[in-house]
Amino acid sequence: MTELLLLVSVFAGSFLVGYLLILKVPPLLHTPLMSMTNAVSGVTVLGALLLFAVSTAPPERALGVLAILLATFNVVGGFAITDRMLKLFKEGRPPVLRPPGEAPAGEDGEQPAGG
Amino acid sequence: MDNAPRLIVDLVIVLVLIFGIALFRRRRSARAGNLMAAVALACALAVALSRDPLVEPFFAVAALLLGAAAAYPLAMRVRMIHIPSMVAFQNGAGGLAACLVSLVELWRGTGVLAPAGAAGGILALALGAATFSGSMVAVGKLAGAFRQTPVRLPWHGVLLAAAFLATLLTGALAGLMAPAPAGLFLVVLGLALCVGLVLSVRVGGADMPVLISLLNAGTGLAAAFTGMVVGNSFLIACGAMVGASGTILTLAMCRAMNRSIPGVLTGGGVPSGPIPSGGTVEEETPAAPPEQAPTEPFDAAVAALRGADTVIIVPGYGMALAQAQSEVVRLADRLESLGKEVCFAIHPVAGRMPGHMNVLLAEAEADYEKLLQMEAVNPRFKDADVALVVGACDVVNPAAIDVEGTPISGMPILMAREAGRVVVCNLDEKPGYSGVENPLYESPKALPLWGDAKETVARLLQALD
């Protein structure tokens, strides 16, 4: 009974803390946020590894291997993409405000590779 | 065994994760936050392995390495327009993993699991399976494997309710039967797969952000319930936080469209009846431009841009479909170099997942400080000389305010119509996803430049040289 109580309070507490923190995340970062939390949900990899803490029958082993594979894909891919995405948010480019008449020097930046 | 030291270690790891999430409140610290979350997970992995060493490490470690090796190169290559389908795919992978772990645990522990564990396991099994099938449908739609338009099966609502109830009943039965037959769990799994399938085929196009957020929450909760069956509180904590995040984003997306979750999932309010034509046409498809846009509005648009002091650019998903992001950002740079004040107006549901438009523009190297979200930018439109709409329709449609009873009535919009002139670089004058005609195009302020957005913006760029 205390076990159940502990599990439920961990759930409720984490949900509440998560809710309060994530309310403050600006919409600008909603996509990286979702990508990061998505990676965190791959935490099931721990559960999948626990399956191998006892000796397994072949069907269990097959399912367990598949679960580890999928969850690792979720975790690694999620964190890697989030990092890449956050690197894209750039700031502090050279100020572009110039007097209207003046010709912009050497504009026409590199053409991004098509497609 | 003594639980106290274990709990303290778990708590420390959870705190690291919480701190990582907290760092997402600012853009500058978000990258560190992502790293902290990853570190928290790595620590949890190490701790779990030290507590319960693997009996048969070979398969587990091989799977671990293989999963990572498959994910990393893909993550490094994927383009920002494909992020929603990538996220949906990962979501599905996480859901299926949760489902499989619970299935094995339920099989093993039949009759010996504590009631909390059994209940958690069955919930994780069902929720994981439903998010898996739902996510795979979402991936298919987003990747263009099949039509993005909503699919309405005969008796769709009844079918969904029936599948849901059947899952619930068989799940409850499996939980109550002391040693439940192994096959019963497979029935629950199968039924839950149907729920996810029926649920997500009904959602399409511009409603995708809601579906993706919901699936995100679902995977999180599935992970939390998996934690209950394997008895790992770190799983529960992580899953609950992801669930909270997904819930917040789902509600935010619904609010931004003035729709309810059931409304989106059952298709309530999407084109059906009195709405003038358009049907369920996807926003802007980057087909060949029909013909050269007439030159007159084009010249007027160039003159308006030249004469403007402030320009607000309103990008929509049509811009991404036309792959016009870098042209649009270069046009913004050009306008700035001509001494004009330029910013981007971002609607919360622009794109295919929450905040998608921001990363699309960031990828095209827009300065993130110029990406203004709806509440911040709306008061600025009345002082702006030109609103430049690129591939957006519903999010600037004044019918949302002026007309009652349309699918978008009451939806908050970007007030492009308040700007001095409205230059519209859309493919054609067809309505957006909602199917509601956009009266903005008929306004005397409007300068519609129909045609492929990428070409139109490139021509504007040239003309401003």
Side-chain angles (χ1 to χ4, degrees), chain B residues 298 301-302 305 331 388 425 449 456-464:
Chain B
F298 182 80
V302 172
L305 285 172
L331 181 64
L388 180 70
C425 307
L449 309 176
T456 313
V457 175
R459 282 173 60 217
L460 284 173
L461 199 57
Q462 220 168 21
L464 286 169

Side-chain angles (χ1 to χ4, degrees), chain A residues 29-84:
Chain A
L29 296 176
H30 274 173
T31 295
L33 170 74
M34 182 181 278
S35 175
M36 183 270 279
T37 55
N38 198 0
V40 171
S41 71
V43 68
T44 27
V45 71
L46 299 189
L49 283 169
L50 284 177
L51 295 180
F52 288 85
V54 294
S55 57
T56 50
E60 290 178 356
R61 190 183 302 154
L63 293 180
V65 162
L66 186 59
I68 296 179
L69 205 69
L70 291 166
T72 322
F73 181 86
N74 189 358
V75 173
V76 174
F79 283 126
I81 290 184
T82 310
D83 188 61
R84 232 189 92 205

Side-chain angles (χ1 to χ4, degrees), chain A residues 3-4 6-8 10-12 14-57 59-61 63-93 96-100 102 104 107-115, chain B residues 17-18 21-22 24-28 30-31 34 37-38 41 44-45 52-56 59-60 63-64 66-68 71-72 74-80 83 86-87 89-91 93-94 96-98 100-101 103-105 107-108 116 212-213 216 219 221 223-224 226 233-238 240-245 247-249 323 326 330 333 336-339 353-356 358-359 362-363 365 367-369 371 373:
Chain A
E3 177 78 12
L4 176 66
L6 180 76
L7 296 185
V8 171
V10 167
F11 181 86
S14 310
F15 193 92
L16 192 70
V17 170
Y19 196 89
L20 293 176
L21 281 177
I22 287 157
L23 271 183
K24 301 240 165 64
V25 175
L28 175 76
L29 296 176
H30 274 173
T31 295
L33 170 74
M34 182 181 278
S35 175
M36 183 270 279
T37 55
N38 198 0
V40 171
S41 71
V43 68
T44 27
V45 71
L46 299 189
L49 283 169
L50 284 177
L51 295 180
F52 288 85
V54 294
S55 57
T56 50
E60 290 178 356
R61 190 183 302 154
L63 293 180
V65 162
L66 186 59
I68 296 179
L69 205 69
L70 291 166
T72 322
F73 181 86
N74 189 358
V75 173
V76 174
F79 283 126
I81 290 184
T82 310
D83 188 61
R84 232 189 92 205
M85 219 172 335
L86 288 168
K87 267 197 285 191
L88 290 175
F89 285 99
K90 293 203 185 81
E91 63 184 313
R93 296 187 316 168
V96 260
L97 269 176
R98 296 187 194 91
E102 206 173 297
E107 272 291 295
D108 238 35
E110 73 279 26
Q111 194 85 9
Chain B
L17 178 70
I18 289 176
I21 294 178
F24 263 73
R25 280 178 299 176
R26 304 215 193 310
R27 189 217 58 97
R28 273 163 221 251
R31 244 188 115 191
N34 185 51
L41 248 64
L45 184 75
D52 303 285
L54 300 178
V55 174
E56 294 159 341
F59 292 104
L64 211 62
L66 212 65
Y72 191 76
L74 203 60
M76 287 296 113
R77 262 209 324 270
V78 66
R79 299 203 49 201
M80 290 303 132
I83 288 287
M86 186 71 192
V87 166
F89 186 75
Q90 288 170 349
N91 230 334
L96 186 58
L100 294 177
V101 173
L103 183 65
V104 173
E105 283 289 342
W107 274 346
R108 277 185 187 171
I212 303 220
S213 312
N216 182 230
T219 322
L221 294 179
T226 309
S233 47
F234 186 70
L235 246 75
I236 301 177
C238 285
M241 278 188 251
V242 178
S245 166
T247 308
I248 289 175
L249 292 176
Q323 302 186 348
S326 56
R330 274 194 284 153
D333 285 351
E336 281 207 321
S337 71
L338 294 172
M353 69 184 286
H356 192 196
N358 295 295
V359 290
E363 186 184 34
E365 309 208 324
D367 184 350
Y368 83 92
E369 279 171 340
L371 309 178
Q373 312 302 313

Side-chain angles (χ1 to χ4, degrees), chain B residues 13-219:
Chain B
I13 298 179
V14 170
L15 284 177
V16 173
L17 178 70
I18 289 176
F19 189 59
I21 294 178
L23 289 178
F24 263 73
R25 280 178 299 176
R26 304 215 193 310
R27 189 217 58 97
R28 273 163 221 251
S29 54
R31 244 188 115 191
N34 185 51
L35 189 67
M36 297 220 24
V39 166
L41 248 64
C43 290
L45 184 75
V47 168
L49 287 180
S50 71
R51 282 178 192 168
D52 303 285
L54 300 178
V55 174
E56 294 159 341
F58 174 76
F59 292 104
V61 173
L64 211 62
L65 295 178
L66 212 65
Y72 191 76
L74 203 60
M76 287 296 113
R77 262 209 324 270
V78 66
R79 299 203 49 201
M80 290 303 132
I81 190 168
H82 297 129
I83 288 287
S85 56
M86 186 71 192
V87 166
F89 186 75
Q90 288 170 349
N91 230 334
L96 186 58
C99 170
L100 294 177
V101 173
S102 311
L103 183 65
V104 173
E105 283 289 342
L106 286 168
W107 274 346
R108 277 185 187 171
T110 322
V112 295
L113 276 176
I122 291 164
L123 282 170
L125 180 75
L127 208 52
T131 44
F132 169 68
S133 59
S135 299
M136 288 307 126
V137 172
V139 172
K141 288 192 178 202
L142 288 164
F146 38 86
R147 286 158 57 88
Q148 294 224 358
T149 47
V151 177
R152 196 194 310 239
L153 303 172
W155 300 90
H156 206 108
V158 179
L159 212 61
L160 182 60
F164 182 74
L165 278 178
T167 313
L168 213 63
L169 287 177
T170 42
L173 189 67
L176 291 176
M177 282 169 84
L184 194 56
F185 295 122
L186 289 178
V187 176
V188 177
L189 197 158
L191 286 168
L193 285 175
C194 295
V195 173
L197 200 72
V198 177
L199 191 85
S200 52
V201 288
R202 190 66 190 81
V203 182
D207 287 339
M208 285 318 265
V210 178
L211 181 64
I212 303 220
S213 312
L214 200 66
L215 291 169
N216 182 230
T219 322

